[in-house]
Amino acid sequence: MAVWSDSPSVYSDSNRTHNRSINQWFIAPIYLLPQTAFTIPQSINQSINRRLYLALCILSSSLLPHCDTFGNVFPHIRLAGTPMRNLRLLSESQQLLRAADSQEEGDEIKWLTTGASGSVLCGGHRHFFTLHEAPAGVEHQAIPPDCSHVVGAEFLIADNVLFLATSEGTLLHCYGGTVTDVVCHIPAGISAFRWSPDQEILVITTNLEHEGGHLLVMTADWMPVVTEPLNPDDFGEQKPVTVGWGKKETQFHGSEGKEAAKLKAQLSKSVSSQDDLRPRISWRGDGQFFCVSTVSTATNTRVIRIYDRQGVLQGTSEPVNGLEWSLAWKPSGALIAATVELPRWREVVFFEKNGLRHGSFALPFPVGESTVKELQWNSSSEILLVWTVLRSEDGLLTDVIQLWTTGNYHWYCKQTFRFARTTSAILAAVGWSQTDPYKLFLVQAEGRLSVLEWTWDVCR
């Protein structure tokens, strides 16, 4: 029977993404049972090409409410004999890091990192808090007033200290209590940093106002390894070699087709309209490679560059129109996740280590009403967290956290939860536990920390 599709992205696999225009009909063998779930028989199930995902919007009024607008069918529709793995919330707990009346103006929590023995550290520009798991308790520490513009933080397990970096270029060690130590200073300032997974290599990007910004790679002893411009002209050591065969410019297209091919090649790639223009850094799980997403001031485009551990450029991503700032390298090393702003919707796109695109999936939010703030993989590479900010017509903001998993060459949204922004409740930071891949931390700006623990549940 005919099934109506109202989805901009019908299905995707690891090699290609297939888009279909709206109001297009597809044919699929399904069986409708009003007021009940329906099942595709096992005989038909075996004949279905599992690499295809058809967005189903059921024409039955009893089943239509159970399907979302992008065709992701809920458990009311399933394949006979095929178990479905779902993420189930195992436990949820909350901890107030400080009293509601003790917050000072301009001292909202802005960052979160995980420490040793299950501890969580989060703070802002003036203070940070450490939530210990055993024994349970909250520790408070002030940040020196002359180091008040914190770019980010990371807990160094070997030294048992909290590492802070400021936009002025100061690198700090915080030992607990009131003890802090300035370990290094970068005169050009710091716009972003990231330690390698083994915490032996530190990658820093300097402020763009200083000669367009530089990439600095140094050891844990603060010895520089390499310094180079943020936007080099070179492609990298893995630059592909071509002799021109197969290029559109050398193929026969006819008079109109040839001009169209030239026009497509000349289309300019622009940065997303909501881009904050700041660099982003992400390491591969084994610490042998890292990638940096930057905006070139000369071309006004954002690109992803891949470097090895010594800071040698390996490759550059292919030009992508509307590429955004979100960046997350899958710990297992397979793919680099980013987001793209398209005319009608947003997509999470994936790149290989050589910079070539490798699949994508669409997000169920309109472009004009949403902004993807962050992407994060859990430590086992099974779950991709997508943090999106939605804007309603009356100007209200809502933070949406989605947990996506992949299976059989398709991406599934397993969990979605929303946080409406108010004057007293704004989601400030999220982060996965490094010791438990199914534990997620969320902290609000006023100091309320939520701990969510998930588990896999097989639905048959």
Side-chain angles (χ1 to χ4, degrees):
M1 64 173 297
V3 178
W4 183 262
S5 174
D6 192 21
S7 170
S9 179
V10 174
Y11 67 92
S12 60
D13 57 29
S14 61
N15 298 319
R16 63 189 67 85
T17 298
H18 306 266
N19 294 325
R20 297 290 186 268
S21 61
I22 202 168
N23 300 341
Q24 187 169 354
W25 287 89
F26 295 92
I27 306 300
I30 63 174
Y31 298 83
L32 296 180
L33 299 177
Q35 306 298 331
T36 62
F38 68 83
T39 301
I40 298 179
Q42 184 67 26
S43 58
I44 299 180
N45 177 18
Q46 295 175 351
S47 66
I48 294 179
N49 185 349
R50 290 172 174 263
R51 301 187 66 177
L52 300 180
Y53 178 78
L54 297 180
L56 304 177
C57 290
I58 310 304
L59 300 181
S60 170
S61 59
S62 61
L63 291 181
L64 186 59
H66 304 301
C67 302
D68 64 9
T69 57
F70 278 76
N72 291 325
V73 183
F74 287 98
H76 301 274
I77 305 170
R78 63 182 178 87
L79 297 176
T82 303
M84 175 68 71
R85 296 180 70 207
N86 290 324
L87 276 176
R88 179 171 60 87
L89 184 61
L90 188 63
S91 66
E92 178 181 4
S93 61
Q94 291 188 351
Q95 174 71 44
L96 192 61
L97 302 179
R98 60 185 172 192
D101 56 354
S102 64
Q103 178 179 333
E104 302 176 10
E105 184 178 355
D107 191 31
E108 298 84 2
I109 291 178
K110 297 182 179 296
W111 51 264
L112 178 148
T113 185
T114 56
S117 303
S119 61
V120 184
L121 302 94
C122 47
H125 296 312
R126 301 178 186 176
H127 304 84
F128 70 89
F129 304 86
T130 304
L131 176 63
H132 300 281
E133 188 174 37
V138 179
E139 183 181 351
H140 168 267
Q141 182 174 346
I143 299 174
D146 55 344
C147 304
S148 58
H149 296 89
V150 178
V151 174
E154 190 166 342
F155 189 83
L156 303 181
I157 298 177
D159 299 326
N160 196 31
V161 297
L162 177 65
F163 175 85
L164 297 177
T166 69
S167 59
E168 296 85 1
T170 303
L171 306 181
L172 293 170
H173 277 174
C174 299
Y175 296 92
T178 59
V179 181
T180 58
D181 184 18
V182 177
V183 295
C184 187
H185 182 75
I186 310 298
I190 299 174
S191 57
F193 79 90
R194 187 72 64 185
W195 283 94
S196 61
D198 57 11
Q199 297 185 339
E200 294 182 358
I201 300 293
L202 175 63
V203 178
I204 293 175
T205 58
T206 62
N207 291 331
L208 301 177
E209 294 79 7
H210 190 273
E211 300 179 355
H214 285 80
L215 177 70
L216 174 62
V217 180
M218 60 172 52
T219 65
D221 298 326
W222 320 115
M223 297 297 296
V225 177
V226 66
T227 302
E228 67 173 43
L230 268 182
N231 295 287
D233 297 329
D234 188 20
F235 179 90
E237 292 189 348
Q238 297 184 8
K239 181 178 182 180
V241 179
T242 177
V243 294
W245 295 104
K247 295 176 63 176
K248 287 186 176 295
E249 293 81 357
T250 62
Q251 295 176 355
F252 176 76
H253 302 274
S255 58
E256 295 184 1
K258 188 173 183 180
E259 294 300 323
K262 291 182 179 180
L263 179 62
K264 183 176 181 179
Q266 296 173 358
L267 288 177
S268 61
K269 305 294 182 181
S270 61
V271 72
S272 170
S273 59
Q274 300 178 1
D275 203 305
D276 59 4
L277 307 182
R278 291 177 50 200
R280 298 295 194 279
I281 306 170
S282 182
W283 280 86
R284 201 171 74 172
D286 60 0
Q288 297 302 311
F289 296 91
F290 65 91
C291 56
V292 182
S293 175
T294 60
V295 174
S296 173
T297 55
T299 60
N300 192 35
T301 57
R302 181 174 283 274
V303 296
I304 300 174
R305 292 181 174 86
I306 296 91
Y307 298 83
D308 65 10
R309 188 179 178 86
Q310 289 72 37
V312 179
L313 181 62
Q314 299 297 305
T316 303
S317 65
E318 60 181 272
V320 177
N321 195 23
L323 183 64
E324 297 182 308
W325 59 91
S326 299
L327 185 68
W329 199 324
K330 195 174 184 178
S332 63
L335 300 172
I336 302 171
T339 57
V340 170
E341 179 189 36
L342 299 177
R344 292 172 47 208
W345 65 86
R346 273 188 171 81
E347 284 187 345
V348 175
V349 297
F350 301 99
F351 295 89
E352 299 177 359
K353 186 169 68 70
N354 57 10
L356 297 179
R357 285 188 60 172
H358 191 95
S360 64
F361 66 88
L363 295 175
F365 307 114
V367 171
E369 303 173 5
S370 63
T371 301
V372 178
K373 189 171 183 178
E374 194 171 347
L375 299 175
Q376 284 193 27
W377 293 96
N378 72 331
S379 59
S380 64
S381 301
E382 296 176 275
I383 307 172
L384 177 62
L385 180 149
V386 181
W387 180 2
T388 306
V389 180
L390 300 182
R391 293 176 298 276
S392 61
E393 296 180 355
D394 52 3
L396 298 179
L397 300 179
T398 302
D399 293 284
V400 180
I401 302 296
Q402 291 185 320
L403 304 182
W404 292 79
T405 64
T406 184
N408 204 20
Y409 301 96
H410 180 73
W411 283 87
Y412 302 89
C413 182
K414 294 297 185 179
Q415 291 288 339
T416 299
F417 40 103
R418 299 170 178 249
F419 300 86
R421 290 192 181 184
T422 63
T423 55
S424 59
I426 300 176
L427 187 62
V430 300
W432 289 101
S433 170
Q434 297 304 311
T435 57
D436 185 350
Y438 305 116
K439 181 180 290 187
L440 178 64
F441 302 103
L442 306 99
V443 62
Q444 296 179 346
E446 75 279 3
R448 185 177 299 276
L449 177 68
S450 299
V451 183
L452 307 179
E453 295 190 59
W454 306 89
T455 186
W456 286 109
D457 190 14
V458 179
C459 301
R460 301 182 182 275

